[in-house]
Amino acid sequence: MPILLAVRSREIHAIDGDGEFVFNFKKQNYTANEYAMFMRKTGLFDLISNRIISNLLDYVMGVEVGLDSNSRKNRGGHLMENLLEDYLIKAGLVKDETYFKEMRASVIQQKWNIDLSRLSNKGKTEKKFDFVVKCGATVFAIETNFCSKLNETARSYKTLALEARSIENFRFVWFTDGYDGWKGARHNLEETFDVLDDLYCINDLENGILKKLFN
């Protein structure tokens, strides 16, 4: 099972909207229901039911290759997006009604008449946010990551936070986590933290920060 999730460790720590859970596969010491719960929470059932895995041997060989290449770099970011989406739904938000995935700044401008030209580098680039939440008159633009290029990301988001401050009815929010990444990038993270009011981690999600944000 661990190799199907593209990890080498026999002990897997995971988290979803229900909280953290740990599985140790050194021994076959779980019930069928516990294995099923693990497969459901980690998405393995979806891989099988959607026929993403059609040949188990080829899939495992592909995972082995992926573990030793750059193809693994974005895995944490997608997992963080999925985790945040679980909490958005848990907070009572509805997809494509009160929260939106992968929305471009130009779409935000058209939909809610908010001038985001400051974020586009004078029209040279267009920012796309992982999530956008509309709550009352305020639009929350959200980015997520997990230990991915934190130095570079922190510098970029510091600039974005400073530019977003002067935009009426608009707030930039960043959810990031991962102890090793935070430790290595702590100076850049500190600079961003000083100018970005809405910088949160998984612990904040567990403690109900979304309900406070969108209340």
Side-chain angles (χ1 to χ4, degrees):
M1 282 191 180
I3 199 65
L4 295 178
L5 296 174
V7 294
R8 295 198 189 283
S9 173
R10 294 296 183 91
E11 186 172 274
I12 296 178
H13 294 252
I15 186 168
D16 64 6
D18 295 326
E20 187 174 1
F21 56 101
V22 180
F23 270 75
N24 191 319
F25 289 97
K26 291 180 180 179
K27 295 181 180 179
Q28 296 181 1
N29 56 350
Y30 295 109
T31 66
N33 286 337
E34 287 171 327
Y35 279 117
M37 183 268 286
F38 175 84
M39 293 180 72
R40 184 179 67 254
K41 284 179 172 289
T42 55
L44 285 176
F45 276 146
D46 288 336
L47 286 176
I48 297 168
S49 63
N50 293 327
R51 298 183 182 277
I52 296 172
I53 299 178
S54 57
N55 184 307
L56 190 60
L57 178 60
D58 288 347
Y59 176 81
V60 169
M61 290 178 67
V63 168
E64 288 283 3
V65 172
L67 282 169
D68 296 319
S69 73
N70 288 332
S71 65
R72 68 184 182 277
K73 287 194 298 185
N74 291 326
R75 204 166 60 230
H78 291 308
L79 291 173
M80 193 69 172
E81 287 178 22
N82 294 339
L83 176 64
L84 177 58
E85 188 166 15
D86 282 347
Y87 277 97
L88 289 171
I89 294 170
K90 205 171 179 181
L93 300 174
V94 180
K95 187 176 181 180
D96 295 330
E97 291 184 16
T98 50
Y99 86 88
F100 306 83
K101 289 190 71 172
E102 297 186 347
M103 182 174 275
R104 296 185 180 276
S106 60
V107 177
I108 296 173
Q109 291 187 132
Q110 294 168 7
K111 192 173 182 65
W112 294 296
N113 195 29
I114 295 178
D115 183 6
L116 300 181
S117 57
R118 294 181 181 86
L119 309 183
S120 66
N121 191 20
K122 298 181 179 178
K124 295 179 182 177
T125 60
E126 183 175 15
K127 178 66 183 171
K128 182 170 70 173
F129 296 97
D130 292 333
F131 295 95
V132 172
V133 172
K134 181 67 164 61
C135 183
T138 304
V139 171
F140 296 83
I142 303 171
E143 286 284 81
T144 66
N145 79 320
F146 190 93
C147 279
S148 175
K149 299 180 180 178
L150 269 180
N151 280 309
E152 176 186 331
T153 303
R155 285 192 296 266
S156 172
Y157 288 173
K158 176 184 176 181
T159 301
L160 185 56
L162 290 170
E163 292 169 338
R165 274 183 168 183
S166 58
I167 302 175
E168 189 176 357
N169 296 327
F170 181 82
R171 285 172 67 176
F172 173 56
V173 184
W174 182 20
F175 284 93
T176 183
D177 218 325
Y179 173 76
D180 291 337
W182 278 39
K183 186 178 179 181
R186 59 188 180 276
H187 297 303
N188 282 321
L189 277 168
E190 183 179 6
E191 290 180 14
T192 307
F193 186 82
D194 288 340
V195 299
L196 177 56
D197 295 329
D198 295 305
L199 196 162
Y200 306 108
C201 64
I202 292 173
N203 187 60
D204 294 313
L205 287 171
E206 293 175 339
N207 289 320
I209 190 61
L210 293 183
K211 290 186 177 180
K212 297 175 184 176
L213 264 180
F214 308 138
N215 189 357

